[in-house]
Amino acid sequence: MNFGFTEDQEALRDATRKFLDNECPTTFVRKMMADETAHATELWKKIAELGWLGIIVPEEFGGSGGSFLDLVVILEEEGKSLLPGPFFATALLGTTAILAGGSAAQKSAILPKVAEGNHILTLALAEKSGRYDAAGVTLAAKPKGNDFVLSGEKLFVPDAHVADQLIVAARTAQGGSPEDGITLFLVDAKAPGVTITQLKTVDMTRRQCHVALQDVAVANAQVVGEVGKGWPILRRVLEQAMAGLCAEMVGTGQKALDMAVTYAKERVQFGKPIGSFQAVKHKCVDMMVQVENARSLTYYAAWTVDENGSEAAQAVPMAKAYCSDMCKTVTSEAIQVHGGIGFTWEHDMHLFYRRGLASEAAFGSAPVHREIVAQTLNL
Amino acid sequence: MDFDFTPQEEAFRQELRSWLETNLPAEYNPETFEQLNEDKRFEIQLKWQKKLSAASWVGIHWPKEYGGRGATVIEQTIYQQEMARVRAPGVANPLGISIVGPTLMHWGTEEQKKRYVPKILSAEEIWCQGYSEPGSGSDFASLQTRAVEDGDYFVVNGQKVWTSYAHKAHRCILVVRSDPHAPKHKGLSYLLVDMKSPGITVRPLVQITGDAEFNEVFFEDVRVPKANLVGEKNQGWQVAVTTLMFERANFGIVYQLEPMLRRLGELAKRLRLNGHTAAEDPAVRQKLAQFHLETQAIKYNGFRQLTRQLRGDPPGPEGSIGKLAASELNLRLVHFAVELLGPYSQMALGETHGLDGGYWSRRALASRLYTIAGGTSEVMRNIVGDRVLGLPKG
Ligand SMILES: Cc1cc2nc3c(=O)[nH]c(=O)nc-3n(C[C@H](O)[C@H](O)[C@H](O)COP(=O)(O)OP(=O)(O)OC[C@H]3O[C@@H](n4cnc5c(N)ncnc54)[C@H](O)[C@@H]3O)c2cc1C
Ligand SMILES: Cc1cc2nc3c(=O)[nH]c(=O)nc-3n(C[C@H](O)[C@H](O)[C@H](O)COP(=O)(O)OP(=O)(O)OC[C@H]3O[C@@H](n4cnc5c(N)ncnc54)[C@H](O)[C@@H]3O)c2cc1C
């Protein structure tokens, strides 16, 4: 039994913290919110040099062969800083999909470029239905000779507007269970027939897109995994993505709590710091309880994902359900502790709340995951 | 990070499991235990503790020299899990084991350790805890029970209240005011008192559940030898705080949540609601899943705390919230069960027309114990807010 990080991981945490404090203050986050793409190429280069983009990529494919827990350490810190841009889309969604389903040729062609910072990936999974389960995948891929033609729409696609390649989940066969007949395709963002439009969303630090595919020809060599057998790959991708997103949410919640506590110590009303009033003090303690609960569920989930254990099927939805509620609630309560100033654009608190709303929504909000947990409990 | 238990730890679990299989008392039935009268329950608990003690299965975290096993924190966790799993009876001397022994090992003189500690695990001497008074509960440092020096003795006058097990106890850890002129935290002393001493009157108080497990205790010119002072005179606060730390760290409700939730899940499968079983109802499923994830979060918080202890790191914030989070969750869980039971929720323990033997109405009545005893939820929030978050005092 060891529920802690290694010394190396703690050192990685410190280094990550220092880097982000320098490179990603909220002034930078705000600049990116207003930016055309929210993607800063300078920062991307530095992130690549630090090895973040290849952290879970094996050495033979140009990465550093670290564990998923190493990535979790980075994600938690990055969640505190609200790192803008396609890091999550590339390092988690795209990379894990290639790692889980890609052929050796695909891995050698793509992953070294990703690790170097020269290739941005994302996953196009959800559609208008807003579902993240197998039944939500309806975009059609029709065979044409040895190859395929894709037509349909994807929605909520993270950072597709700056991606070089999209991993598109499409349906190659109807009938049977929803899990059967899903195929993953590597689609070039600039391929003829691909139209990518940024969405106006509540958290503009990380963009999402509408992706329209009209008769997009995709060669057989661009299939990730086997035809019709995409869902097990996606499940593994989603497990890692959700556990990683939970780590970010723990960071975001922790930072909001820290800001609220700091403010409660400084702000004086009725001749006393507001943190001395129990209504505020107890609120902060309840926020802390939620952050700590979320952290424990997240670390546990991350461990099951790292071990690729069967417990992940329960541990990940548990963490996602809890963290979704926690991050939204804690960032909202932190606004309350700040009073009027927390309601301004100028104050940073709303940036955290916006991230909380976006993270809650990604991959299914709490009720979806609580139902999955209920199923794992054989209810 | 690694959540697996080592082979040695698994062996420990197996050893305990097989011991429990053959040794759980035959006359003990967890379903009907709470329907027995109080004396009968105590008798079973006393016999059980003696049996545990003979096999060194009680106070396992105590050092070997005091009759414990010097169990690691992991082994203690396994122990708690296994006891909760089989719903083993409680012991007769819980305060002695969880707080008096450890406090004496920390603060006691050699004489005191030799005299008192060995009789705790064997249940030869049952202990009670005299802190709370009618005017001093959460603010127990304001207590008024007086101790005046007279030669080799302290002479004690005053009253304690809510003193659990005082009517069964041989001895009491008693916090008294020895210097009425000092600031409130600096005039307290910590005494070990023989409950048979002349001048002590114990009057049982009937609790919300109908049981009489706590008491009023009156002290009239009770003579306590100075040799029974723990720590320095007027420095009883430090000793008392040590005791409270042990009390809160050992708060058993954390381990009861998992079995209770399993039971609630089984109940939901049997009950019907809105045209299907309650377990099929989406609202019920959402609640049960939420309880499950909070229960697991509390458990993993405990594991994180264990990891810090094992590494010798200072305690983290997760360690201070266990009692608070578990007692509040217990309350919600029990109230949800009551809601599900509909009209059957009113059936009292043992009512044969009841479902689940009236178990849940009993749990509801008992649920406030955990948010009050050992420091109320509000006081716990004050402590965490002040000490962990560093917020200014009110
Ligand atoms: C959208 C909006 C419009 C507004 N319009 C107007 C307007 O037109 N005119 C105007 O004059 N004002 C206006 N206000 C200001 C509003 O009245 C104040 O924001 C509000 O009274 C809180 O004061 P504060 O912002 O200074 O927060 P603070 O008083 O500093 O409070 C911060 C936090 O501490 C808590 N707190 C403070 N004191 C105590 C206490 N004794 N016990 C427990 N908790 C305490 C608060 O509940 C809050 O959570 C507006 C505010 C908003 C958000
Ligand atoms: C079943 C049971 C067994 C017990 N066994 C023992 C025992 O063996 N020995 C022993 O010494 N005591 C025992 N107690 C007493 C227990 O420790 C006290 O009941 C508890 O500390 C609260 O004190 P009180 O009852 O005087 O309530 P009070 O302190 O009067 O509190 C009343 C309410 O006010 C709130 N409150 C008080 N102060 C504050 C504050 N500063 N901020 C916010 N809210 C506050 C409390 O949270 C509570 O909700 C037992 C209690 C119970 C219920």
Side-chain angles (χ1 to χ4, degrees), chain B residues 250-261:
Chain B
N250 281 290
F251 222 77
I253 186 65
V254 172
Y255 300 97
Q256 292 174 34
L257 288 169
E258 260 186 280
M260 209 189 289
L261 184 55

Side-chain angles (χ1 to χ4, degrees), chain B residues 176-195:
Chain B
V176 293
R177 185 155 306 281
S178 43
D179 181 354
H181 306 297
K184 67 178 177 181
H185 294 93
K186 300 204 164 132
L188 301 175
S189 293
Y190 193 102
L191 302 176
L192 307 174
V193 177
D194 183 346
M195 290 297 284

Side-chain angles (χ1 to χ4, degrees), chain B residues 56 59 78 109 155 168 189 194 214 219 225 281 283 317 333 338 376 380 394:
Chain B
S56 297
I78 293 172
T109 61
V155 178
K168 304 280 187 198
S189 293
D194 183 346
F214 61 24
F219 297 83
D281 190 84
L333 197 159
V338 165
T376 67
M380 298 311 290

Side-chain angles (χ1 to χ4, degrees), chain A residues 278 282, chain B residues 95 128-140 160-165 207 214 247 368-379 382:
Chain A
Q278 289 189 348
H282 291 189
Chain B
L95 294 174
C128 65
Q129 176 186 20
Y131 281 32
S132 305
E133 297 182 3
S136 305
S138 297
D139 180 21
F140 88 89
K160 296 290 170 177
V161 73
W162 326 129
T163 321
S164 303
Y165 318 108
Q207 294 172 207
F214 61 24
E247 185 173 4
R368 281 293 174 189
L369 186 159
Y370 307 100
T371 59
I372 297 173
T376 67
S377 292
E378 292 74 25
V379 166
N382 285 344

Side-chain angles (χ1 to χ4, degrees), chain A residues 358-376:
Chain A
S359 301
E360 173 190 37
F363 312 116
S365 50
V368 172
H369 292 287
R370 277 195 292 264
E371 173 54 32
I372 297 171
V373 172
Q375 285 164 22
T376 65

Side-chain angles (χ1 to χ4, degrees), chain A residues 22 30 51 95 101 189 242 253 320 323 333 337 379:
Chain A
N22 283 329
R30 284 171 180 273
T95 302
M242 285 194 276
K320 182 61 174 67
C323 289
E333 292 284 45
V337 170
L379 285 173

Side-chain angles (χ1 to χ4, degrees), chain B residues 35-326:
Chain B
Q35 298 169 33
L36 302 175
N37 79 36
E38 221 225 303
D39 286 337
K40 183 69 193 160
R41 289 209 306 263
F42 184 76
E43 195 187 307
I44 292 174
Q45 290 172 334
L46 191 63
K47 255 168 84 182
W48 175 234
Q49 184 172 342
K50 286 183 190 294
K51 201 166 180 183
L52 286 168
S53 165
S56 297
W57 277 124
V58 67
I60 61 161
H61 58 300
W62 286 25
K64 287 199 175 120
E65 52 174 316
Y66 292 112
R69 289 185 177 231
T72 65
V73 279
I74 305 277
E75 287 167 342
Q76 291 171 49
T77 304
I78 293 172
Y79 180 87
Q80 298 276 11
Q81 286 175 342
E82 290 302 310
M83 289 293 177
R85 198 179 57 85
V86 299
R87 298 168 68 198
V91 291
N93 199 11
L95 294 174
I97 295 163
S98 64
I99 64 178
V100 179
T103 302
L104 285 178
M105 289 173 216
H106 191 85
W107 289 96
T109 61
E110 275 316 303
E111 297 306 316
Q112 289 169 344
K113 289 183 201 173
K114 271 208 201 93
R115 166 64 190 80
Y116 297 111
V117 173
K119 294 186 174 172
I120 292 176
L121 293 186
S122 61
E124 275 168 86
E125 288 185 350
I126 308 292
W127 286 78
C128 65
Q129 176 186 20
Y131 281 32
S132 305
E133 297 182 3
S136 305
S138 297
D139 180 21
F140 88 89
S142 69
L143 61 85
Q144 296 300 325
T145 295
R146 281 282 281 129
V148 177
E149 285 179 81
D150 179 17
D152 289 340
Y153 290 87
F154 287 104
V155 178
V156 176
N157 279 286
Q159 184 199 339
K160 296 290 170 177
V161 73
W162 326 129
T163 321
S164 303
Y165 318 108
H167 58 309
K168 304 280 187 198
H170 304 90
R171 312 214 162 254
C172 179
I173 45 173
L174 187 71
V175 186
V176 293
R177 185 155 306 281
S178 43
D179 181 354
H181 306 297
K184 67 178 177 181
H185 294 93
K186 300 204 164 132
L188 301 175
S189 293
Y190 193 102
L191 302 176
L192 307 174
V193 177
D194 183 346
M195 290 297 284
K196 300 254 153 44
S197 311
I200 294 183
T201 311
V202 175
R203 194 186 296 158
L205 293 168
V206 180
Q207 294 172 207
I208 192 170
T209 52
D211 292 333
E213 277 180 346
F214 61 24
N215 305 268
E216 292 178 293
V217 185
F218 299 88
F219 297 83
E220 208 184 323
D221 293 331
V222 176
R223 296 178 76 78
V224 182
K226 281 191 174 163
N228 289 8
L229 176 70
V230 183
E232 299 290 315
K233 188 186 146 199
N234 296 334
Q235 288 179 19
W237 175 252
Q238 286 86 319
V239 187
V241 165
T242 310
T243 306
L244 279 183
M245 292 301 162
F246 289 126
E247 185 173 4
R248 286 168 192 161
N250 281 290
F251 222 77
I253 186 65
V254 172
Y255 300 97
Q256 292 174 34
L257 288 169
E258 260 186 280
M260 209 189 289
L261 184 55
R262 263 199 300 278
R263 185 171 185 146
L264 180 56
E266 293 308 315
L267 180 69
K269 286 182 187 171
R270 284 188 282 134
L271 291 173
R272 293 197 68 79
L273 183 77
N274 302 333
H276 40 221
T277 69
E280 288 168 315
D281 190 84
V284 173
R285 298 171 70 79
Q286 290 284 314
K287 281 273 194 186
L288 294 182
Q290 181 68 22
F291 292 147
H292 179 72
L293 42 107
E294 290 185 47
T295 300
Q296 296 304 305
I298 289 168
K299 180 165 100 182
Y300 299 138
N301 282 339
F303 287 174
R304 275 172 58 213
Q305 192 187 356
L306 281 182
T307 298
R308 285 188 193 255
Q309 285 178 19
L310 290 171
R311 289 180 175 185
D313 292 344
E318 70 281 355
S320 54
I321 57 179
K323 182 201 183 254
L324 175 63

